[in-house]
Amino acid sequence: MMTNNKFVLNWIDEMAAMTKPDKIVWIDGSDAQAEALRAEACSTGEMFKLNEELLPNCYLHRTAVNDVARVEGRTYICTEKQEDAGNINNWMAPAEMKEKLFKLYRGSMKGRTMYVIPYSMGVVGSDFAKYGIELTDSIYVVLNMLIMTRVGTNVLEALGDSPDYIKGLHARADIDEENRYITHFPETNEIMSVNSGYGGNVLLGKKCFALRIASFLGRKEGWMAEHMLILGVEYPNGDIKYICAAFPSACGKTNLAMLIPPAIYREKGYKVWCVGDDIAWLRINPEDGKLYAVNPENGFFGVAPGTNEKSNPNALHTCMRDTIFTNVVHNTKDNTVWWEGLDNNPPQPGYAIDWKGNPWDCTKYDKKDKSTCGAHPNSRFTALAKNCPCISSEFNSLKGVPISAIVFGGRRAKTAPLVYQSTSWQNGTFVGSIMASETTAAAAGAVGVVRRDPMAMRPFVGYNMGDYWAHWLEMGKRIPNAPKIFHVNWFRTDDEGHFIWPGFGDNLRVLDWILARCEDKVEADLTAIGYVPKAEDINIEGLEDVTLDTIKELVSIDKASWIDDIANIKEFYALVGDRVPAELYDELSALEARLKA
Ligand code: OXD
Ligand code: MN
């Protein structure tokens, strides 16, 4: 036992009485304990140790084949009143959900160990930090939490005898899909997860706490929890300006967060620093009235496929040590790992085990048939932020970094221009509320279907989406020096369906314009949707296939597709329901009128 906190001890007693573990082990954050757990996981086959020379302190884990991703259909927000969870979330009354869950938890840890993980989201002791305790019967969860969060006795010391922590209970039970539940009780600070062993469902500090529960707390306490990366652009004179950016899944958030500037920028002395790749907690700093951000996490839980020396060398180097790989290919020739899009040298038949644990034949791989993949398309690396070559020196900052710009983005073939700027915080909130992505051929189902994903938070707002938008508007009134709000689209295509903008490192050219706008250093053209760049203000020096005319095309506004989109936005607002703030309906009618003028 590492604490005398009676709230903590009583709760653990209750949970243990229900789940009936053989023993209880407290996680103290020490290397010695972590090392012993890694050895134990290897002895049972739960993890494989990889080549110590090539991948020091790296491990491979395979989940059950039915348990490879977050499950939005089985994720619930359990508030007393249904309208407080809203129409976008699944809802069940807390008592009813608990009755169901307790049946599943009862006796589920018999013959197993319950680990007690005291962890902090944010630097322990900082104003931003929030504490949690996760109880789990999975060593894999313990070892991932040791990377993704700050774990140890100092968390319990900081908590003292306070009841103010998030209670998280996770049991693997039978990994039964039919009885898998990822549930949140924001009114009582509880998270309960059962019948899964996959990252986003079981690393309760991440999506469950740092987004769903934290968004609820942020509304109550006057701050924001957002699905945003945080990066710093360093100018040749040494100034660093910070940007937060929200994109739906599969839009390259981790790549943007770790961007390598194009050669002509590097030569001038530009650098990009990563503060976070997934989650930002934002608070108003009373000293300068600006919005400050921290990344509450301690590591990256990144998608492996597609990560390579060109797309994201920084991520690749980050996961060359101290990393847990999940559901990638095992190369048994040199005991390393591989995934689609890493390089053109997949391990050859006889030396390759796929994510399911079966022999894999790379010659049978067919891009269009997912069942031939070696690595699961959602396979992951869990890696320490401190191992990232471009990690910001402010990563552990107590007060966070001042945010100049908030950037929303989506994957749109035609509708959104390369970049535009909103005309006010209220208009920017509207821009965030109508964020959307079109489905690609990479996912199952129809191509080009628009999915609205406001602020990239559709699966992560822990309360009513309409109230969440109202909170955004409210924050805008309270921030004296608010960031400017922008929208980008790296994915515009030409008539043949080819991407027009090169993307990746060249996205810095757009960030450069955004920051120039924040400093009032560049003019822009006001259009129906907001400010767009004058084509000559996007720096295309050193780009081969992009001319001034290309930029003109990229920033042009296709009014017809915007007018089409309005109908879809109205449908979505109607779905969100009667708590959509009137200000956003005003913004929508004003946009419609401008487009039709
Ligand atoms: C993630 C996600 O895993 O957004 O970060 O799905
Ligand atoms: Mn995410």
Side-chain angles (χ1 to χ4, degrees):
M1 241 147 8
M2 305 192 305
T3 179
N4 295 318
N5 182 317
K6 64 176 194 309
F7 302 103
V8 171
L9 297 178
N10 291 345
W11 168 66
I12 295 175
D13 280 351
E14 268 174 52
M15 296 301 110
M18 173 169 66
T19 54
K20 302 249 181 332
D22 280 10
K23 61 178 178 168
I24 298 179
V25 170
W26 289 68
I27 302 301
D28 60 17
S30 70
D31 286 342
Q33 188 186 44
E35 194 47 44
L37 287 171
R38 287 191 280 260
E40 186 180 338
C42 289
S43 76
T44 61
E46 189 177 345
M47 297 207 309
F48 302 89
K49 171 141 181 64
L50 297 167
N51 186 319
E52 180 62 22
E53 251 122 73
L54 299 173
L55 295 168
N57 195 28
C58 289
Y59 294 81
L60 170 65
H61 170 80
R62 295 188 197 105
T63 64
V65 293
N66 73 6
D67 189 26
V68 293
R70 287 187 291 103
V71 279
E72 287 172 22
R74 309 206 62 93
T75 300
Y76 286 78
I77 301 295
C78 303
T79 45
E80 290 295 339
K81 295 198 199 112
Q82 178 161 13
E83 60 263 37
D84 290 335
N87 298 335
I88 302 296
N89 286 310
N90 301 310
W91 174 85
M92 201 182 288
E96 193 187 335
M97 178 57 91
K98 281 184 181 169
E99 197 184 307
K100 194 188 268 293
L101 293 174
F102 289 179
K103 284 194 193 115
L104 300 171
Y105 282 125
R106 204 155 284 141
S108 66
M109 294 192 191
K110 266 185 202 147
R112 305 176 64 86
T113 300
M114 175 194 271
Y115 300 95
V116 179
I117 313 171
Y119 67 96
S120 175
M121 300 314 293
V123 179
V124 180
S126 71
D127 289 347
F128 281 88
K130 294 271 175 196
Y131 307 127
I133 297 180
E134 177 164 354
L135 308 178
T136 178
D137 57 355
S138 159
I139 296 183
Y140 171 74
V141 168
V142 173
L143 294 172
N144 274 272
M145 287 292 283
L146 283 167
I147 296 171
M148 293 305 297
T149 72
R150 295 164 170 93
V151 174
T153 35
N154 60 340
V155 174
L156 292 168
E157 280 156 22
L159 180 64
D161 54 15
S162 161
D164 188 14
Y165 69 98
I166 307 299
K167 303 175 176 118
L169 175 63
H170 164 245
R172 287 173 49 87
D174 308 311
I175 312 288
D176 169 9
E177 282 176 280
E178 304 297 315
N179 282 302
R180 184 168 297 153
Y181 289 97
I182 319 301
T183 66
H184 308 72
F185 304 83
E187 289 154 346
T188 48
N189 287 339
E190 295 168 281
I191 303 165
M192 295 189 190
S193 161
V194 69
N195 276 310
S196 174
Y198 168 81
N201 299 330
V202 298
L203 309 179
L204 301 185
K206 195 177 178 64
K207 303 296 188 183
C208 300
F209 179 169
L211 288 176
R212 298 194 190 99
I213 298 283
S215 61
F216 181 93
L217 292 175
R219 171 163 175 255
K220 205 163 71 178
E221 299 169 359
W223 54 281
M224 304 164 91
E226 298 297 332
H227 191 197
M228 291 177 176
L229 65 89
I230 311 165
L231 65 78
V233 176
E234 181 174 334
Y235 287 86
N237 69 1
D239 273 2
I240 305 182
K241 299 285 177 207
Y242 294 93
I243 293 175
C244 279
F247 298 86
S249 305
C251 288
K253 214 146 112 252
T254 304
N255 294 349
L256 185 66
M258 300 180 186
L259 173 157
I260 303 224
I264 64 124
Y265 278 83
R266 283 202 304 276
E267 284 152 18
K268 287 183 192 147
Y270 280 76
K271 295 188 177 109
V272 170
W273 302 106
C274 173
V275 182
D277 78 327
D278 197 40
I279 298 175
W281 283 2
L282 301 137
R283 282 177 184 268
I284 304 168
N285 184 316
E287 275 159 43
D288 59 10
K290 292 184 181 163
L291 197 59
Y292 275 65
V294 299
N295 167 11
E297 301 192 277
N298 192 49
F300 307 116
F301 184 62
V303 175
T307 305
N308 60 51
E309 248 340 310
K310 183 168 174 288
S311 67
N312 195 339
N314 283 318
L316 199 59
H317 293 180
T318 308
C319 64
M320 288 295 117
R321 58 175 60 245
D322 309 321
T323 295
I324 299 171
F325 295 95
T326 301
N327 291 344
V328 297
V329 177
H330 190 193
N331 178 343
T332 55
K333 188 161 192 183
D334 56 8
N335 194 22
T336 57
V337 289
W338 190 85
W339 51 77
E340 281 73 16
L342 173 63
D343 55 33
N344 293 324
N345 304 308
Q348 293 306 301
Y351 295 104
I353 309 286
D354 70 10
W355 68 273
K356 294 179 180 166
N358 300 323
W360 180 63
D361 182 348
C362 61
T363 63
K364 304 231 164 77
Y365 172 63
D366 169 5
K367 229 180 176 164
K368 283 181 241 95
D369 178 1
K370 269 191 198 161
S371 71
T372 64
C373 281
H376 188 275
N378 191 35
S379 55
R380 299 279 176 150
F381 55 81
T382 319
L384 282 164
K386 70 170 188 210
N387 287 342
C388 177
C390 63
I391 196 73
S392 163
S393 59
E394 299 298 310
F395 176 71
N396 284 312
S397 161
L398 300 181
K399 69 175 216 235
V401 294
I403 299 303
S404 300
I406 289 175
V407 179
F408 295 124
R411 184 185 275 274
R412 300 305 295 268
K414 289 273 172 277
T415 316
L418 178 63
V419 56
Y420 68 102
Q421 181 185 358
S422 65
T423 52
S424 64
W425 181 277
Q426 175 174 308
N427 177 248
T429 302
F430 169 71
V431 169
S433 79
I434 66 167
M435 256 176 74
S437 252
E438 283 153 27
T439 50
T440 65
V447 175
V449 175
V450 175
R451 171 179 147 106
R452 305 233 86 95
D453 189 354
M455 286 82 171
M457 283 288 278
R458 184 176 182 140
F460 305 121
V461 177
Y463 57 103
N464 187 307
M465 183 66 77
D467 292 340
Y468 167 74
W469 290 338
H471 179 52
W472 262 81
L473 294 172
E474 180 57 30
M475 286 297 293
K477 292 181 194 138
R478 292 186 34 228
I479 313 169
N481 295 309
K484 302 278 188 286
I485 302 178
F486 297 80
H487 187 282
V488 298
N489 175 23
W490 315 134
F491 302 97
R492 208 151 164 172
T493 52
D494 61 20
D495 293 337
E496 279 95 55
H498 302 122
F499 293 125
I500 308 176
W501 178 247
F504 297 104
D506 290 311
N507 291 335
L508 180 60
R509 299 167 189 272
V510 175
L511 301 185
D512 197 19
W513 180 83
I514 286 174
L515 289 170
R517 285 293 295 166
C518 295
E519 310 259 295
D520 281 325
K521 285 186 181 150
V522 61
E523 301 278 304
D525 292 328
L526 185 58
T527 70
I529 62 165
Y531 295 103
V532 301
K534 294 181 186 298
E536 58 275 17
D537 290 330
I538 299 289
N539 182 349
I540 53 171
E541 198 187 333
L543 278 179
E544 279 181 13
D545 301 321
V546 177
T547 63
L548 198 60
D549 282 337
T550 319
I551 301 292
K552 280 187 185 148
E553 184 186 346
L554 282 167
V555 300
S556 67
I557 288 152
D558 181 347
K559 281 199 180 174
S561 70
W562 274 91
I563 291 170
D564 279 352
D565 215 32
I566 297 271
N568 185 284
I569 296 169
K570 284 182 181 163
E571 260 171 55
F572 183 64
Y573 273 19
L575 175 68
V576 172
D578 54 14
R579 295 204 192 170
V580 175
E583 291 92 328
L584 296 188
Y585 272 112
D586 293 346
E587 289 287 341
L588 180 57
S589 340
L591 172 63
E592 187 171 12
R594 288 193 303 267
L595 287 166
K596 289 181 175 166

